[in-house]
Amino acid sequence: MASNAPHESFSVSNVLAAMLTMRSGDAEKKKVAVDYLGRFQKSNDAWTTTISILQNSTEAEAQLFAATTLKGKITYDLGAQISASDLPALRSQILLLLKKFAPGPKPVRVQLCVCLAILAIQMQTWKDVLSTVVSTLGDDVASHACILDFLRVLPEEVTEGRKITLSEEDLAQRTTELLADNAKQVVQLLVNYAQSSPAAATNPQLFDCISSWLREVPVSVIVSSPLMNAVLHGVTNDKSLLAAADCFGIICRETKDVDDNLETIQALLPKVLELSPRIRALVDDDDTDGFKAITRVFADAGESWVLIIARQPQHFRPLVDALLECCARDKERDAIGYTFSFWYELKQYLTLDHYMEARVQLIDVYAQLVDIMLKQLEYPYSDNPNDLDLFDGDREQEEKFREFRHHMGDTLKDSCEVMGVAACLTKVHDAIKLWQEKYGSQATQTSVPHWQSLEAPLFAMRAMGRMVESDDGSVLPQIFPLLVQIPISNEKLRFAAIMVFGRYTEWTAAHPDFLEPQFQYIVSSFQTDSVEILRAAAQAFMYFCVDCKQLLGSQVIQLQAFYDQILDKLPVSSKEEVTEGVAYVVGVQKAEDVYKLLKLYCDPLVQRLMVKANTATDQKGKLDLADHINLLTFFVQHVLPYIPASSENPAVKYWQEVFPILSTILDNFSHFVPICERVCRCWRFMVISYRTAITSLLGPLANKLAEGFARSKQGCFLWATSAILREFSEDREHVDDSITENIYVFFEAQATSVLRIMSDLPPIDLPDVIEDFYRLLIDALLYYPTRLIPSPLFTPIFQAAVSSLALEKQEPVSAALHYLRDLLTYGGPNPAGSGSDLGPAGQQLRQAVKQLLLAQGEALVKQTLAGMMITFPRDCFADGSGVLLGMFELLPAETATWVDRTVRMLPQGTVTPAEADRLLAKIRERLAGADDPANVRQIRVLLQDFTNTYRRRYVAPRDGLGQLEAARFHFEG
């Protein structure tokens, strides 16, 4: 623990003064106050000072700060700063404070309850926790609130508050003592309280308590006790409705293992159905929160019992009908979302052959659900049919509505799977025809009446698009002629129609007679000034070009004129979509036409590029230039003519002409990251797309990548280098040995540059470079193991990887761990690149790897364990444990010793010597049976459990990692 500086005072007055400073507007003084309060919270003085503030201060903010600080002290510092003999006195202090704050303020009272719960977990000699708390706090109304808060937080802290300095075994025992052994007594306490007065029976705290203990008490006990009637009564009371409904939902969720809870479910079903009349009543009373709470109960019941609903559809039909009613009556569309998961889960069963009978019985439910959804999908109505701002300028509400519609679209897809796509599309067709019959004749160039009831089925049709097979001929041929007649004067309708066309392009490709009118509708939409319509049209245009590229191939010349005309008016993302679309069409042309078509399409892009490069002086201009480079890359990706290896590739011929222009742009903007990234991306795709056909560009490309990295220190140059390394590796066909040799020399030069930079700067300043470097090294190790492993760079690369593990960012740490895991495989019989026979060199590589690990392995083990316990992002755990497993497989005895040393370096008080001994004993026990690979793999599980437990129990040390700090990487090359 950090010790207090001898001159620093943490008196009550000083702490309160610092808190007062926190409210001031002086940023410098606030920073000093924050630092002071941070030191105070670590100090030994904090114990007496916080208790003194709680005893004497009348200010709520000071009281809450003191209670929160006390909670942190008990959580993190109890074992190191308070002796076992002083724990009873601390307990007494907290109980006295709880009695004082029983009437409130509630936040302070709750924090003190948490303090007492955490103390109870760690104070293993305290066996009569419940009786002590109840008897000490007394029997008045204020004390009841306090006891209920304590009962609520106790299970939460025991099961979730795992930052506790107890071993797993001690924690398991304490969990049993505090929860399992007290469950029966708690139920009786709650029953007694619920029956003590009408006010108690509807106290939301009662239901919160029941909810908290449902994890520990068998649900059947609650359902068969008077508490169940209390919950039902609570749902009918306005004061307790929300808490009681939440509790009821948790009770239902606790029965989701239906085969184990059949009797309980049969008892609960009529109680749930008793709530059905409340649905309409709450809607009529405009009680939105109450309606949401009731809907949630039905949804929890349905979702938990979905299997038994599929088995007994008739018996549970009233519950399904109640859920349908909730969907239909949800005027605010706030509650219907609770039901979506139920409809999905029920669909999962009904679409199985085993539940075909249930599907037949419930298919009408999904038919009604589609009708309800078509109504709920409608935009709000307005007196003015031309008013498109239907949310009174509330963008948050509009965005919420849009998101809700997409979730509803998923439920429509579920209905398609149950009913069949044709039945769902028929409902869409009927809705469109109904609008045409009622309002179609009233539509004009300036007004479309009741457009909401036409737009909703269009959105539904768009949502169902993924479910439609391309050979479907039942309903769509009737719908599409109607869609191209959709009035274009209404922006919402036009947007919806465009999105439908874009979603059904695979179907249109199989039915070419429908292509022309749809495509013309899309093309004409580019003449609008609406950005939203332009975005939709660009996306749909791309899908048409991708899926109907063969059909559109004859229009490739006309498409270029259209493309050149509309490009500059589009937003960036739409430019990219339209460009990708035309690139697909160019990509299906004859090889002999590719060069002239690339010139036709790309020369104007290159001209724009040069103009932008000459005028890009500010941030906006440079970003515009970077985005424009991306447009060329789409042609590189999708125009891939098939050319024999002996012939010149016409696409490569064109890109050779463009290469000097991109090189000049890179030279002029080498310190602007987005431009570097876009140019590297373009070059990388040239290598990936044209592979060995790009050989003629290799020399200048490698030079530019090396120069670019040296000048900018950006990882994108390494990312592009990896593509060259892969495509021109030793095992590729049509690659000359001299080219392979030159590429490896180029790679070593790049690696040397990176190592020098990593030696000059700490890893925290180079996360992107580290990520791209180790992704590159993964390829180098895979394709050039016989050159990389004996190389003088091999050891510094390893040392730099170990140093990089100190980062707390996922991507670079993952890349370094992946490289290390691959490297370790070369020390054993099955290297990562085992697809190629290493021959006699394999033994030499194994020896080289083991020599490296004997010299450097302890640093790797230390940093990997430190990462898993303290610094690694969660997604890196599996790779970290994989590294440790690899070490145990190669050097079991040495690795066990290094793990032992590392664990004993952990901050004092966080792991006891007994826990460290127990871990090492288990590891050595597994190593004793190392002949069985399963035993060695078990070590990985042991270390994962140990590090997970440590991470749950402790935060990162307040004063740094001490002996576990990563060593700074130095490179002399």
Side-chain angles (χ1 to χ4, degrees):
M1 277 302 142
S3 60
N4 303 338
H7 62 278
E8 192 158 28
S9 169
F10 292 116
S11 65
V12 171
S13 57
N14 286 349
V15 171
L16 292 177
M19 290 187 64
L20 196 62
T21 304
M22 295 287 289
R23 300 180 200 165
S24 72
D26 190 323
E28 193 58 39
K29 288 183 178 178
K30 283 173 75 170
K31 183 178 183 306
V32 172
V34 168
D35 292 342
Y36 175 82
L37 291 173
R39 293 193 301 277
F40 160 69
Q41 289 179 316
K42 299 176 195 175
S43 71
N44 279 296
D45 293 348
W47 294 101
T48 53
T49 303
T50 51
I51 289 172
S52 178
I53 292 173
L54 286 164
Q55 288 171 333
N56 302 308
S57 177
T58 57
E59 192 177 336
E61 186 178 353
Q63 293 169 346
L64 183 58
F65 172 77
T68 305
T69 299
L70 185 58
K71 180 183 73 173
K73 297 300 290 180
I74 296 172
T75 302
Y76 302 118
D77 298 336
L78 188 73
Q81 294 182 353
I82 301 292
S83 67
S85 59
D86 289 333
L87 291 179
L90 177 62
R91 175 183 62 192
S92 299
Q93 288 276 17
I94 296 173
L95 283 166
L96 286 172
L97 289 170
L98 265 176
K99 198 161 180 62
K100 174 187 174 182
F101 286 98
K106 183 179 177 181
V108 178
R109 184 180 74 212
V110 170
Q111 287 297 313
L112 288 171
C113 285
V114 173
C115 288
L116 190 61
I118 299 171
L119 179 63
I121 297 168
Q122 298 187 71
M123 193 173 169
Q124 293 172 267
T125 56
W126 185 12
K127 302 299 184 184
D128 56 345
V129 173
L130 216 55
S131 57
T132 302
V133 172
V134 171
S135 61
T136 304
L137 292 178
D139 198 33
D140 56 274
V141 173
S143 293
H144 288 167
C146 198
I147 292 169
L148 288 171
D149 275 340
F150 177 74
L151 289 177
R152 177 180 62 80
V153 302
L154 182 61
E156 295 170 1
E157 292 305 316
V158 172
T159 57
E160 295 172 10
R162 291 304 184 93
K163 303 268 193 252
I164 300 296
T165 54
L166 292 180
S167 68
E168 284 293 285
E169 291 82 356
D170 288 343
L171 185 57
Q173 181 184 341
R174 202 64 183 134
T175 300
T176 301
E177 292 172 353
L178 291 173
L179 301 184
D181 295 350
N182 283 321
K184 189 173 180 181
Q185 185 184 352
V186 168
V187 171
Q188 193 55 53
L189 275 172
L190 295 178
V191 169
N192 294 342
Y193 175 75
Q195 295 175 341
S196 65
S197 71
T202 55
N203 183 354
Q205 281 185 286
L206 168 66
F207 306 114
D208 291 340
C209 251
I210 298 171
S211 299
S212 186
W213 278 86
L214 269 165
R215 285 170 283 193
E216 315 305 328
V217 179
V219 66
S220 57
V221 172
I222 300 294
V223 173
S224 60
S225 77
L227 291 176
M228 190 67 232
N229 289 331
V231 172
L232 281 169
H233 177 64
V235 176
T236 64
N237 184 282
D238 291 342
K239 170 187 166 189
S240 57
L241 168 59
L242 300 184
D246 187 52
C247 180
F248 202 166
I250 293 172
I251 289 171
C252 292
R253 293 203 296 273
E254 287 295 316
T255 64
K256 66 177 179 293
D257 295 327
V258 294
D259 290 322
D260 297 332
N261 292 284
L262 289 175
E263 289 185 17
T264 305
I265 291 170
Q266 293 301 345
L268 277 173
L269 179 60
K271 298 181 190 301
V272 173
L273 294 178
E274 280 180 36
L275 302 179
S276 298
R278 294 279 286 157
I279 299 172
R280 180 169 184 171
L282 289 164
V283 172
D284 290 345
D285 292 343
D286 289 326
D287 186 348
T288 304
D289 289 337
F291 176 68
K292 285 166 63 178
I294 289 290
T295 302
R296 185 69 182 265
V297 174
F298 285 113
D300 284 335
E303 205 174 323
S304 302
W305 304 341
V306 66
L307 173 57
I308 201 168
I309 293 172
R311 289 178 184 168
Q312 303 176 38
Q314 282 186 312
H315 185 63
F316 284 86
R317 178 65 184 252
L319 175 59
V320 179
D321 288 340
L323 279 158
L324 263 182
E325 185 181 355
C326 290
C327 294
R329 293 189 182 278
D330 185 13
K331 293 185 293 187
E332 301 297 323
R333 302 182 179 93
D334 279 336
I336 191 172
Y338 294 139
T339 72
F340 291 161
S341 185
F342 165 72
W343 301 119
Y344 168 78
E345 295 293 346
L346 184 58
K347 176 267 299 184
Q348 292 289 79
Y349 285 107
L350 297 184
T351 50
L352 298 175
D353 291 342
H354 184 71
Y355 296 102
M356 183 58 71
E357 185 179 340
R359 181 177 182 178
V360 171
Q361 292 188 33
L362 295 175
I363 197 166
D364 68 303
V365 170
Y366 279 88
Q368 293 176 64
L369 182 63
V370 172
D371 292 334
I372 292 168
M373 294 289 171
L374 286 174
K375 190 65 184 169
Q376 294 285 26
L377 281 170
E378 292 181 9
Y379 272 92
Y381 278 81
S382 168
D383 293 336
N384 178 4
N386 295 323
D387 185 4
L388 297 181
D389 184 5
L390 303 169
F391 298 89
D392 298 325
D394 189 337
R395 292 292 162 251
E396 186 178 339
Q397 276 298 108
E398 184 171 6
E399 188 56 39
K400 182 181 172 184
F401 177 67
R402 287 184 177 183
E403 185 179 345
F404 156 78
R405 297 210 322 163
H406 285 291
H407 288 306
M408 205 180 302
D410 293 334
T411 303
L412 282 168
K413 289 195 273 285
D414 296 334
S415 303
C416 283
E417 290 193 59
V418 176
M419 298 169 58
V421 178
C424 286
L425 285 175
T426 298
K427 286 184 174 291
V428 168
H429 184 217
D430 291 345
I432 294 172
K433 284 201 304 182
L434 181 63
W435 181 88
Q436 283 195 319
E437 291 165 5
K438 292 176 70 174
Y439 308 112
S441 61
Q442 302 172 33
T444 67
Q445 288 296 318
T446 58
S447 176
V448 182
H450 292 273
W451 60 266
Q452 292 90 337
S453 59
L454 176 58
E455 192 274 345
L458 294 181
F459 182 90
M461 185 178 175
R462 170 185 160 197
M464 298 174 194
R466 196 186 307 164
M467 312 301 297
V468 178
E469 299 291 337
S470 58
D471 59 355
D472 181 90
S474 55
V475 187
L476 289 178
Q478 302 171 57
I479 295 180
F480 275 113
L482 300 178
L483 297 191
V484 294
Q485 300 172 37
I486 294 290
I488 62 173
S489 58
N490 183 286
E491 186 177 314
K492 298 283 189 191
L493 287 177
R494 192 173 194 176
F495 178 86
I498 291 169
M499 296 303 283
V500 169
F501 293 146
R503 182 58 63 89
Y504 285 80
T505 49
E506 289 184 24
W507 184 89
T508 303
H511 300 79
D513 292 347
F514 293 88
L515 170 62
E516 192 58 31
Q518 290 182 57
F519 195 62
Q520 286 308 314
Y521 191 99
I522 300 298
V523 167
S524 65
S525 297
F526 282 96
Q527 304 312 312
T528 182
D529 293 327
S530 164
V531 174
E532 195 164 9
I533 294 294
L534 285 175
R535 289 184 192 279
Q539 187 182 82
F541 180 89
M542 179 188 71
Y543 288 136
F544 271 101
C545 290
V546 171
D547 292 327
C548 306
K549 52 185 176 288
Q550 301 290 351
L551 299 175
L552 293 171
S554 60
Q555 301 181 38
V556 67
I557 304 297
Q558 299 95 305
L559 275 178
Q560 192 280 327
F562 166 74
Y563 171 67
D564 196 52
Q565 173 198 341
I566 56 109
L567 186 65
D568 292 330
K569 71 180 289 189
L570 298 177
V572 172
S573 60
S574 298
K575 286 181 182 178
E576 293 181 348
E577 288 168 334
V578 170
T579 303
E580 186 169 11
V582 295
Y584 267 101
V585 177
V586 173
V588 298
Q589 304 303 308
K590 295 176 183 177
E592 57 266 29
D593 295 331
V594 163
Y595 176 76
K596 65 181 182 183
L597 285 173
L598 280 174
K599 285 193 72 65
L600 178 67
Y601 274 86
C602 296
D603 275 1
L605 292 180
V606 173
Q607 289 298 322
R608 287 180 173 92
L609 195 65
M610 291 189 289
V611 170
K612 290 175 186 291
N614 289 330
T615 56
T617 54
D618 59 5
Q619 177 88 353
K620 185 175 181 297
K622 292 175 185 177
L623 285 173
D624 186 37
L625 173 60
D627 291 331
H628 201 75
I629 294 168
N630 243 10
L631 303 184
L632 291 173
T633 307
F634 286 112
F635 288 94
V636 175
Q637 286 177 273
H638 301 303
V639 183
L640 312 172
Y642 176 74
I643 304 294
S646 56
S647 304
E648 182 183 38
N649 188 307
V652 173
K653 178 184 176 184
Y654 179 75
W655 298 122
Q656 282 179 301
E657 297 173 7
V658 175
F659 184 83
I661 297 168
L662 292 176
S663 298
T664 302
I665 290 172
L666 185 63
D667 290 341
N668 292 335
F669 297 94
S670 60
H671 294 291
F672 191 71
V673 176
I675 289 177
C676 293
E677 289 178 343
R678 300 307 195 286
V679 172
C680 285
R681 183 173 184 271
C682 185
W683 287 347
R684 180 175 180 270
F685 273 110
M686 285 184 190
V687 176
I688 293 171
S689 295
Y690 307 115
R691 308 184 76 171
T692 52
I694 205 80
T695 301
S696 56
L697 264 178
L698 271 185
L701 177 54
N703 288 338
K704 281 297 169 189
L705 292 176
E707 289 173 15
F709 180 74
R711 193 182 302 132
S712 72
K713 300 179 177 61
Q714 293 301 319
C716 55
F717 294 95
L718 306 176
W719 181 54
T721 299
S722 68
I724 297 176
L725 210 63
R726 274 198 304 276
E727 296 302 331
F728 289 87
S729 62
E730 293 171 310
D731 60 350
R732 296 288 191 192
E733 295 180 3
H734 312 299
V735 177
D736 188 86
D737 288 346
S738 62
I739 292 176
T740 302
E741 176 63 31
N742 288 336
I743 285 172
Y744 184 76
V745 170
F746 161 57
F747 155 73
E748 282 209 332
Q750 289 283 67
T752 302
S753 296
V754 178
L755 292 171
R756 286 174 181 152
I757 291 169
M758 290 182 70
S759 181
D760 293 340
L761 297 171
I764 197 170
D765 293 339
L766 300 165
D768 294 339
V769 170
I770 290 171
E771 179 190 356
D772 289 320
F773 182 45
Y774 283 99
R775 299 269 180 239
L776 169 62
L777 281 163
I778 290 167
D779 286 335
L781 190 61
L782 180 64
Y783 295 116
Y784 296 90
T786 55
R787 297 184 182 219
L788 177 59
I789 292 175
S791 162
L793 295 179
F794 187 54
T795 296
I797 286 170
F798 179 90
Q799 292 169 331
V802 172
S803 171
S804 302
L805 298 183
L807 285 169
E808 297 182 26
K809 190 175 180 184
Q810 180 195 333
E811 293 81 2
V813 172
S814 285
L817 287 170
H818 287 172
Y819 169 74
L820 290 165
R821 292 190 70 178
D822 285 356
L823 181 155
L824 291 174
T825 65
Y826 284 88
N830 298 305
S834 56
S836 57
D837 181 17
L838 296 174
Q843 180 57 38
Q844 296 173 352
L845 298 184
R846 283 194 288 276
Q847 194 60 34
V849 169
K850 285 190 176 180
Q851 287 299 320
L852 171 72
L853 295 177
L854 285 168
Q856 306 285 337
E858 182 168 8
L860 173 60
V861 169
K862 184 184 85 168
Q863 213 51 52
T864 305
L865 268 176
M868 290 177 67
M869 287 186 285
I870 301 168
T871 60
F872 279 177
R874 184 154 294 280
D875 288 345
C876 298
F877 285 11
D879 286 317
S881 65
V883 166
L884 294 175
L885 173 62
M887 289 295 295
F888 272 107
E889 287 173 337
L890 295 179
L891 301 172
E894 293 87 348
T895 304
T897 301
W898 296 332
V899 167
D900 189 10
R901 287 180 192 161
T902 302
V903 169
R904 297 182 197 281
M905 290 179 189
L906 288 166
Q908 186 177 1
T910 60
V911 171
T912 66
E915 286 180 291
D917 292 341
R918 190 157 51 237
L919 171 67
L920 267 296
K922 289 178 180 177
I923 289 174
R924 292 197 169 98
E925 181 185 327
R926 297 293 185 277
L927 288 178
D931 292 341
D932 181 358
N935 279 324
V936 180
R937 286 196 295 273
Q938 275 296 312
I939 295 175
R940 181 180 190 178
V941 176
L942 286 174
L943 290 170
Q944 282 178 325
D945 288 347
F946 178 80
T947 53
N948 281 336
T949 300
Y950 187 92
R951 201 174 183 104
R952 280 200 307 267
R953 283 160 48 181
Y954 305 106
V955 292
R958 287 167 162 171
D959 301 310
L961 301 185
Q963 296 181 73
L964 294 178
E965 291 284 0
R968 180 70 188 272
F969 170 67
H970 294 286
F971 179 59
E972 304 297 335

